[in-house]
Amino acid sequence: ELNVRLSAARQRLIAEDFVAARELIERGLRDFPGEQKFAALAEELGRKQQKHAAISAARELLEHHRFDEAEQALAQLPAADPDARG
């Protein structure tokens, strides 16, 4: 059952369904205390949410032709998301 739950949480993260992912991760942390894989997924969720927020903010800035500010928002992504580092 542990692997099934981990897989379900990972799938929700991949789909960027952050609400469902958080719910699955929180249940996993509660039902499997001390399971580091759920703790790692919780950290990954946080990084993905930061990345999503930065990209959304940059899109909004671009729509208002605020290019320098959008660039600054995106420039911080590698620090927030290790996966973004080529």
Side-chain angles (χ1 to χ4, degrees), residues 28-45:
L29 288 168
R30 184 182 63 241
D31 295 344
F32 300 96
E35 177 54 59
Q36 290 301 313
K37 292 178 182 177
F38 280 112
L41 286 175
E43 291 175 14
E44 183 179 347
L45 172 62

Side-chain angles (χ1 to χ4, degrees), residues 58-72:
R59 279 187 187 135
E60 187 171 326
L61 290 166
L62 288 171
E63 289 173 4
H64 293 93
H65 304 283
R66 295 165 60 185
F67 303 113
D68 290 338
E69 292 172 71
E71 182 180 12
Q72 289 173 1

Side-chain angles (χ1 to χ4, degrees), residues 10-37:
R10 280 190 199 103
Q11 289 174 356
R12 294 297 85 217
L13 278 174
I14 290 167
E16 295 189 348
D17 183 351
F18 299 134
V19 173
R22 178 169 301 285
E23 184 178 305
L24 290 167
I25 292 167
E26 287 175 354
R27 274 195 235 149
L29 288 168
R30 184 182 63 241
D31 295 344
F32 300 96
E35 177 54 59
Q36 290 301 313
K37 292 178 182 177

Side-chain angles (χ1 to χ4, degrees), residues 49-61:
Q49 287 180 306
Q50 283 181 320
K51 178 181 175 182
H52 189 267
I55 291 171
S56 293
R59 279 187 187 135
E60 187 171 326
L61 290 166

